[in-house]
Amino acid sequence: MVVRLMVVDDHRLLAEALASALKLRGHRVLAAAAPSAGAADLVVSRAPEVCLLGTATPAAPGAFDPVVRIKKERPQIAVVVLGPVPSPRGIAAAFAAGASGYVRNDERIEGVERAMMKARAGESAIAPQLLQQAFEELLHPAAKPDDEGARLLQLLTPREVEVLMRVADGEDTRLIAAGMDIAPSTARTHVQRVLMKLEVGSRLEATALAARTGLLERVARGGPASSPQGAGTYTSLPNPMPPPA
């Protein structure tokens, strides 16, 4: 059965490739486009039966604003989201916005086609595996970023926390040593210990991990940091004395 559809994806080449594959299967593709400010306008104006909407970040704020717009102005259009394995929040956000289905972006073309058909028929189109994964995460949730940040913070001594903050500020070994009134070799040792404890291979990775887990924010706002090495709040750390020779 022929479906009139549009393909909208973050990457134009992927949108065009998927559109070509569906054309070969006999469907009528009205357009293939990359998301932009006018993507929802294009879908609304063409009024396909089904819109395949690709997104790389289903849990990001505003990821499904185009779906909201499309469903508001053309409620008869069935929107099927194509994305990575999402968190339960990502799946919920897609359906809350009005999507009729969610399909992994590495799904075979047959799976995409089945989802299109179900969505056009007014059914919810989502693979049982995705629902199972979503329920697994709901039943066994991963640590929240702030919790992970607290865990990582407990691994570091107050001095190492200051070193990490200076690394995140872009200071090199010389500046760290000068700012903390310690020898460059000692500063280098502290940096290596921080990288080892955070299980990362570079200063850039350490900064990214600290930002992603909320560690930097927790330190900046003076969050608690209890550890075997010491406890207290990290708002402004005094320059430590250099280690004895």
Side-chain angles (χ1 to χ4, degrees):
M1 189 176 294
V2 178
V3 176
R4 287 188 306 107
L5 66 109
M6 286 183 61
V7 182
V8 179
D9 196 278
D10 291 324
H11 304 286
R12 184 175 295 277
L13 287 178
L14 295 180
E16 292 176 350
L18 181 56
S20 297
L22 291 169
K23 282 181 181 178
L24 291 176
R25 300 180 75 86
H27 299 290
R28 183 184 174 194
V29 180
L30 303 181
S36 65
D41 291 330
L42 184 61
V43 174
V44 169
S45 65
R46 296 292 184 91
E49 294 176 296
V50 176
C51 171
L52 298 177
L53 175 69
T55 178
T57 54
F64 301 116
D65 285 352
V67 181
V68 174
R69 167 81 188 286
I70 292 167
K71 296 303 291 185
K72 179 181 179 180
E73 300 196 22
R74 297 280 187 175
Q76 73 276 17
I77 298 176
V79 181
V80 176
V81 174
L82 303 176
V85 178
S87 65
R89 181 180 300 178
I91 292 178
F95 281 93
S100 299
Y102 193 107
V103 180
R104 282 180 51 161
N105 52 15
D106 60 354
E107 178 63 81
R108 296 173 64 89
I109 191 66
E110 294 85 359
V112 176
E113 190 175 34
R114 283 194 298 270
M116 287 166 38
M117 296 295 192
K118 292 186 70 174
R120 190 181 68 165
E123 302 176 37
S124 295
I126 182 169
Q129 298 91 331
L130 285 182
L131 282 179
Q132 181 178 1
Q133 290 167 358
F135 282 123
E136 282 292 328
E137 186 168 337
L138 287 172
L139 292 173
H140 307 287
K144 294 181 180 179
D146 198 53
D147 295 337
E148 181 65 6
R151 184 189 71 80
L152 294 175
L153 196 56
Q154 290 177 349
L155 301 176
L156 306 176
T157 66
R159 180 173 291 188
E160 289 165 351
V161 171
E162 182 176 0
V163 168
L164 177 59
M165 295 297 288
R166 290 178 179 275
V167 167
D169 284 339
E171 295 186 10
D172 58 18
T173 301
R174 179 181 58 82
L175 288 176
I176 293 173
M180 298 180 64
D181 194 23
I182 58 178
S185 59
T186 303
R188 191 175 301 109
T189 298
H190 284 319
V191 171
Q192 291 302 317
R193 286 176 178 169
V194 169
L195 299 185
M196 179 185 66
K197 288 183 177 182
L198 297 183
E199 298 182 353
V200 295
S202 69
R203 300 182 183 210
L204 182 61
E205 289 182 64
T207 301
L209 176 64
R212 187 174 68 249
T213 59
L215 191 157
L216 293 179
E217 181 183 354
R218 176 178 283 267
V219 173
R221 68 172 184 254
S226 58
S227 70
Q229 295 87 352
T233 58
Y234 296 98
T235 51
S236 177
L237 296 178
N239 289 339
M241 295 295 293

